Amino acid sequence: MADAGAKKTKSKNAEEDRRPYISRRAAEINNKYGISDLLIDIGRRISTADNLDDALEMMTEMMSVELKADRSTLFLNDTSSGELFSRTAQGQQRREIRILNDSGIAGHVFQTGESLVIKDAYKDKRFNRGVDEQTGYRTKSILCVPIKTVVGHTIGVAQVLNKIDGKKVVPFDDSDLVLLEAMTTQAAVALQNTQHLEHMQKKSAEEMEFLDIVSDVTSEIDLSKLLAKVMGEAARLMTAERSTLFLNDEKTSELFSMVGAGLAATEIRLPNHLGIAGTVFTTGESINIPHAYADLRFNPAFDKQTGFFTRSILCTPVVNKEGKVIGVTQVLNKRGGPFTDEDEQRLKAFTAQIAIGLENAKLFNDVQNMKNYSESMLESMSNAVITTDDEGKIVTCNAAGYRIMKLEEETDVIYKKSEEFFIGKNEWVMEKIHKVDESQVPDIFMDAELEFGGEKVSANVTVLPLISSEEKKLGTMVMIEDISSEKRMKSTMSRYMDPGLADQLMSAGDSDDFLGGRSTEATVLFSDVRSFTTITETLGAQGTVQLLNEYFTIMVDIITEEGGMLDKFIGDAMMAGFGIPVGHDDDEDRAMRAAIKMMTSLWEWNKKREAQGLMPIDHGMGLNTDNIVSGNIGSPKRMDYTMIGDGVNLAARLESACKQYHAHILVSEYTVKKLKGTYRMRDIDDVVVKGKTEPVGVYEVLDYHSDKTFPNLMDCVNHFNEGRKHYRAGNWEKSTSSFREVLKANAGDHLSNTYIERCELLKAEDPKDWKGVWVMKSK
């Protein structure tokens, strides 16, 4: 310690000893070179610079000339990032160089405020040789001085390299040091002012951009479009990779957001008290996390599912004008480092400005949803609904009204006076309307007779007053329920067959073509109870029948809920169709949802059975989409509406293959290609089923699993897909390695064991014409 103190004192004394010499040299330099004129010229030229880039360029040029340096650089300090920066011209472009303000020779000079004269750069440990190695330049001597204001505040450093004397490189001396210090001191104020001006101009431009963004965003009243705009602009404003705006749903206590646009839009929902977003929402305080994975509140599950890597997070509350938190804005991964306090304040200001627009859009969305709900409910009703305004004009008529009243054009009913519409044999309806209008009490007329288009209609007619929340008369509503013989027959038929089939039969003018058979695209679902022989032996006849009745009740209800039609029971198996007799634009998804729910419902039922001491049961399912033939097939004495064709057979083969692949739900590539929803699946094989020659892609559906029943599911799927890729290519070693990775994540994945065995077998056989296709030997 004494030695160190002595060295420091010696260094300080040496510096003090040099000062008179340096002062004398400064006077000599002034006399010899006219330094006063030079300093005046520096101040004049830099003060006339239009911007900071020009000022830096002027100063570096003057440094090189006056100090006879081969190269020169002027660094200014960026207080917001703790970096020294310089700018150089490259053609029409400007290149900015940035280094930490505590690294290298420039960093040392900036931190200590002391100048350095280095005669041999390569002997100085602070010198970074990497730049020379990259560029091929050879740095020999360095002169580096701090740029200080008149009050001694260091705002940057000036650095010159390789003093040239004739054709030789010579070291810089103390006179060079004095000259450079004088030049930088003279330029410091002008440089500081220019840097401050640039900062103010940048802030002004940012504020103008900020106002433009806010104006653009708040002009949108469509909630999904507004959410997309806010997320996009927030990410751009914060120079972040991603952003999400969550709004609070007070009915469900959930934070929700929309990802995507139009029909492809997906809603994300999470409890409003969980995670980082939930913490910000409940506390109303911002959270700035520079390292996400070091924070226990961060949930890495989304990163695992999507493959995205979250580094930094900034999350701020969205507060309305009453001071109530209505949501949160979250931005991820700022480019160039973590989010700063300035970023936090900027995001807060942004959310404060858009809060009003969000509330307006949310209100508009709620009103639009109510309107859509009312219209959808009106259109979906089987009863005719007609409404009139306070002047007695008909303003709405739903689809059922057009059908029941035999109307073709909107002009046949809309804006007609109710007295002009309800005439002739329907005139009694006007009497009911007048009565209700006077009494403001609803009236019902049961099993009445009406006539539309020359046809009699038996109906129940209800007339209701329409009243506003302020008890003001708005008009009248007339509801007509068709209870004619056709409807009663349809109700009777629905007891004995699928309601959709009965509906189509009754609505068809001539049902012969329909019953005789037609080709249509449908998704076929086969299900079969596993180990049924063991069940029958254990339960006996009565117990087996009782079990099947309970099982089929659960499963058929699920199929019906998704708009499917039960085709038939085949012992302990079931066959159902989605897309017959009435098709939908998402029949494949309906079949998938039904299959997934059939699995989860079976597991729930098994829990109840096991609690009662009863044996659990298991089943497998196969799904395939294809053109099939449907119709009434049989003899004149006994007919059955059913489906036939190769598409039906393939679904049955897939159900049977569930045992071989240790799976519960297998679907063909033809179904997968038509799915609109997103499901957790894995591509498990390309097979040639018995009786066919062309291979079919087979997928296993895993959506019914939980973390308990299938640990690390997405990791397993990724490793499994990698294994399948190598398997198709005939790379047995890599394929086996990938399947072993699956088993590390989930030791209970029997299918991976099956593939390992396959790979060993194929490795031994070494097939020459391998195409990645497996031939199924049994049905």
Side-chain angles (χ1 to χ4, degrees):
M1 291 294 290
D3 290 343
K7 286 180 181 178
K8 187 174 181 181
T9 304
K10 185 177 180 181
S11 174
K12 183 178 180 182
N13 292 338
E15 179 67 27
E16 290 174 352
D17 292 342
R18 290 176 65 223
R19 283 175 185 169
Y21 167 75
I22 292 172
S23 298
R24 290 195 302 273
R25 290 294 295 149
E28 293 172 6
I29 291 167
N30 182 35
N31 293 332
K32 184 176 182 180
Y33 297 106
I35 191 171
S36 298
D37 294 338
L38 171 62
L39 297 181
I40 293 169
D41 188 44
I42 288 172
R44 179 184 59 77
R45 290 182 64 182
I46 293 180
S47 63
T48 60
D50 292 333
N51 50 55
L52 183 60
D53 290 352
D54 291 347
L56 291 173
E57 186 176 349
M58 286 179 187
M59 188 62 188
T60 54
E61 182 181 335
M62 293 175 75
M63 285 160 51
S64 295
V65 171
E66 298 299 331
L67 290 155
K68 300 179 181 178
D70 187 36
R71 291 190 179 183
S72 62
T73 310
L74 195 151
F75 291 98
L76 292 179
N77 184 50
D78 185 342
T79 55
S80 65
S81 65
E83 294 173 316
L84 294 172
F85 72 92
S86 180
R87 295 172 188 161
T88 58
Q90 291 185 339
Q92 297 298 317
Q93 303 295 320
R94 288 279 178 179
R95 178 170 173 261
E96 187 170 277
I97 302 169
R98 284 182 172 262
I99 59 173
L100 294 175
N101 65 13
D102 59 356
S103 67
I105 291 170
H108 175 83
V109 170
F110 176 79
Q111 294 294 334
T112 62
E114 296 177 356
S115 302
L116 286 176
V117 179
I118 300 172
K119 296 180 179 180
D120 189 342
Y122 278 73
K123 290 183 179 180
D124 194 297
K125 294 180 180 180
R126 294 163 296 192
F127 176 64
N128 180 8
R129 302 185 182 192
V131 178
D132 278 11
E133 291 171 358
Q134 290 177 7
T135 62
Y137 184 76
R138 176 74 178 187
T139 302
K140 294 182 179 180
S141 58
I142 302 173
L143 172 59
C144 190
V145 303
I147 302 173
K148 294 183 178 181
T149 62
V150 290
V151 295
H153 179 60
T154 304
I155 63 170
V157 296
Q159 180 174 276
V160 290
L161 309 178
N162 295 359
K163 181 177 180 180
I164 306 297
D165 185 5
K167 295 183 178 180
K168 295 189 301 179
V169 176
V170 297
F172 293 100
D173 57 27
D174 287 337
S175 61
D176 297 319
L177 172 62
V178 171
L179 177 59
L180 186 56
E181 284 182 341
M183 291 174 70
T184 54
T185 301
Q186 181 67 21
V189 174
L191 286 171
Q192 190 176 36
N193 290 339
T194 309
Q195 186 179 11
H196 181 67
L197 178 61
E198 182 184 80
H199 179 72
M200 294 302 295
Q201 289 172 339
K202 183 179 177 182
K203 294 293 289 183
S204 176
E206 286 176 352
E207 292 306 319
M208 290 301 296
E209 181 188 22
F210 179 81
L211 293 173
D212 289 341
I213 290 171
V214 169
S215 176
D216 179 54
V217 167
T218 53
S219 64
E220 182 61 66
I221 59 172
D222 183 286
L223 185 59
S224 60
K225 291 181 180 178
L226 177 59
L227 288 173
K229 269 190 177 182
V230 170
M231 288 188 285
E233 295 298 346
R236 188 165 69 86
L237 203 62
M238 296 291 106
T239 60
E241 291 181 10
R242 288 190 181 181
S243 70
T244 309
L245 172 62
F246 290 101
L247 293 180
N248 184 49
D249 187 337
E250 294 182 349
K251 295 178 182 177
T252 62
S253 296
E254 293 175 317
L255 294 172
F256 72 91
S257 185
M258 300 293 292
V259 177
L263 296 175
T266 303
E267 189 174 80
I268 300 173
R269 284 184 171 264
L270 57 135
N272 65 10
H273 65 286
L274 296 182
I276 292 167
T279 302
V280 171
F281 176 77
T282 52
T283 62
E285 298 292 333
S286 299
I287 291 178
N288 188 346
I289 302 174
H291 307 290
Y293 279 81
D295 195 292
L296 295 177
R297 294 166 296 187
F298 174 65
N299 181 5
F302 288 105
D303 279 10
K304 278 191 173 183
Q305 291 177 8
T306 61
F308 183 76
F309 183 75
T310 303
R311 298 189 303 275
S312 56
I313 302 172
L314 174 60
C315 191
T316 62
V318 180
V319 184
N320 66 9
K321 59 184 179 181
E322 285 81 25
K324 180 181 177 181
V325 180
I326 61 172
V328 297
T329 302
Q330 181 173 276
V331 288
L332 307 178
N333 295 1
K334 181 178 179 179
R335 294 179 176 87
F339 294 101
T340 63
D341 292 339
E342 185 179 349
D343 292 327
E344 184 178 330
Q345 295 305 316
R346 194 163 179 76
L347 188 58
K348 278 183 178 179
F350 179 65
T351 55
Q353 290 296 321
I354 63 169
I356 297 174
L358 285 170
E359 288 213 302
N360 290 340
K362 194 176 178 184
L363 179 62
F364 176 78
N365 189 64
D366 290 341
V367 172
Q368 193 66 35
N369 285 340
M370 289 176 62
K371 180 176 179 290
N372 293 341
Y373 176 80
S374 299
E375 290 178 352
S376 298
M377 184 175 64
L378 201 64
E379 291 302 309
S380 64
M381 292 178 68
S382 59
N383 298 341
V385 179
I386 305 120
T387 62
T388 69
D389 61 16
D390 58 345
E391 294 180 354
K393 286 183 180 179
I394 297 173
V395 290
T396 63
C397 177
N398 68 347
Y402 281 88
R403 176 174 54 80
I404 292 172
M405 296 185 293
K406 308 296 187 293
L407 302 172
E408 293 183 0
E409 301 293 335
E410 190 177 277
T411 53
D412 294 340
V413 58
I414 301 300
Y415 299 129
K416 276 195 171 185
K417 283 277 191 179
S418 48
E419 291 94 340
E420 298 172 359
F421 184 75
F422 293 108
I423 56 175
K425 293 184 178 181
N426 302 330
E427 193 173 352
W428 62 269
V429 177
M430 271 312 306
E431 296 175 9
K432 296 289 183 184
I433 292 173
H434 286 312
K435 179 181 176 183
V436 169
D437 185 53
E438 291 174 4
S439 65
Q440 293 295 292
V441 176
D443 195 6
I444 302 174
F445 198 77
M446 304 296 293
D447 200 11
E449 190 172 286
L450 296 165
E451 186 174 300
F452 299 108
E455 295 182 16
K456 291 182 179 180
V457 176
S458 295
N460 296 329
V461 179
T462 304
V463 184
L464 301 163
L466 297 178
I467 308 169
S468 71
S469 57
E470 292 84 17
E471 299 297 322
K472 182 181 177 182
K473 291 182 182 181
L474 299 177
T476 310
M477 176 186 290
V478 179
M479 297 179 62
I480 302 172
E481 180 188 7
D482 184 359
I483 56 169
S484 61
S485 58
E486 180 180 336
K487 190 171 184 178
R488 284 195 293 270
M489 186 183 299
K490 188 190 303 180
S491 177
T492 302
M493 290 179 66
S494 295
R495 298 180 187 176
Y496 301 98
M497 63 178 68
D498 181 85
L501 176 58
D503 199 39
Q504 191 160 343
L505 282 169
M506 293 305 302
S507 62
D510 185 357
S511 61
D512 287 344
D513 290 341
F514 173 74
L515 293 173
R518 63 171 181 158
S519 177
T520 186
E521 185 175 86
T523 299
V524 182
L525 182 152
F526 263 87
S527 77
D528 185 30
V529 176
R530 296 286 176 259
S531 305
F532 188 67
T533 303
T534 304
I535 294 172
T536 56
E537 290 174 353
T538 305
L539 298 180
Q542 290 186 351
T544 300
V545 170
Q546 182 180 351
L547 178 141
L548 285 178
N549 284 340
E550 291 180 33
Y551 168 79
F552 285 142
T553 299
I554 295 169
M555 300 304 149
V556 172
D557 284 347
I558 293 169
I559 291 168
T560 305
E561 284 172 9
E562 287 294 345
M565 187 197 83
L566 175 69
D567 188 294
K568 61 170 67 68
F569 299 115
I570 311 167
D572 61 316
M574 279 191 308
M575 173 178 163
F578 293 80
I580 62 162
V582 180
H584 310 87
D585 60 359
D586 63 340
D587 285 309
E588 299 78 15
D589 291 84
R590 290 168 180 258
M592 282 285 282
R593 291 196 297 266
I596 293 166
K597 191 172 182 181
M598 286 166 74
M599 273 308 308
T600 56
S601 298
L602 177 67
W603 284 356
E604 290 171 5
W605 185 47
N606 276 336
K607 287 180 184 176
K608 295 177 183 177
R609 288 180 58 78
E610 288 175 315
Q612 297 168 3
L614 301 174
M615 63 185 299
I617 65 171
D618 197 9
H619 67 190
M621 286 171 278
L623 282 74
N624 180 47
T625 303
D626 202 350
N627 279 321
I628 55 95
V629 174
S630 63
N632 232 4
I633 299 173
S635 71
K637 290 185 178 180
R638 174 66 187 271
M639 303 194 82
D640 189 15
Y641 184 83
T642 188
M643 303 176 290
I644 57 173
D646 285 344
V648 178
N649 297 336
L650 180 54
R653 299 283 190 276
L654 293 177
E655 178 275 315
S656 179
C658 283
K659 302 171 192 173
Q660 180 179 336
Y661 289 96
H662 309 283
H664 284 100
I665 306 174
L666 294 182
V667 297
S668 73
E669 63 180 288
Y670 310 119
T671 299
V672 172
K673 287 176 182 176
K674 292 182 175 291
L675 291 172
K676 295 179 175 62
T678 302
Y679 307 89
R680 295 185 294 177
M681 296 184 292
R682 59 178 174 178
D683 170 11
I684 65 165
D685 217 344
D686 296 304
V687 300
V688 176
V689 299
K690 190 171 178 61
K692 294 293 178 182
T693 57
E694 294 298 320
V696 177
V698 181
Y699 293 77
E700 181 186 9
V701 180
L702 302 168
D703 256 2
Y704 59 90
H705 277 297
S706 64
D707 289 341
K708 184 177 180 182
T709 60
F710 201 123
N712 305 310
L713 193 150
M714 291 310 298
D715 288 342
C716 289
V717 169
N718 292 334
H719 287 306
F720 191 94
N721 289 340
E722 187 71 14
R724 283 276 296 135
K725 183 179 74 174
H726 296 310
Y727 174 84
R728 287 194 187 96
N731 194 329
W732 316 122
E733 294 293 340
K734 288 187 177 180
S735 181
T736 300
S737 176
S738 294
F739 292 128
R740 292 195 191 282
E741 288 298 320
V742 177
L743 293 174
K744 287 180 184 178
N746 179 9
D749 187 42
H750 299 296
L751 184 54
S752 291
N753 275 321
T754 299
Y755 262 99
I756 291 171
E757 293 171 4
R758 269 199 204 177
C759 289
E760 295 297 330
L761 177 64
L762 291 165
K763 182 180 177 182
E765 293 179 352
D766 192 22
K768 302 301 181 186
D769 58 342
W770 176 248
K771 297 180 180 177
V773 176
W774 190 260
V775 179
M776 197 176 287
K777 302 292 175 72
S778 62
K779 293 185 178 181

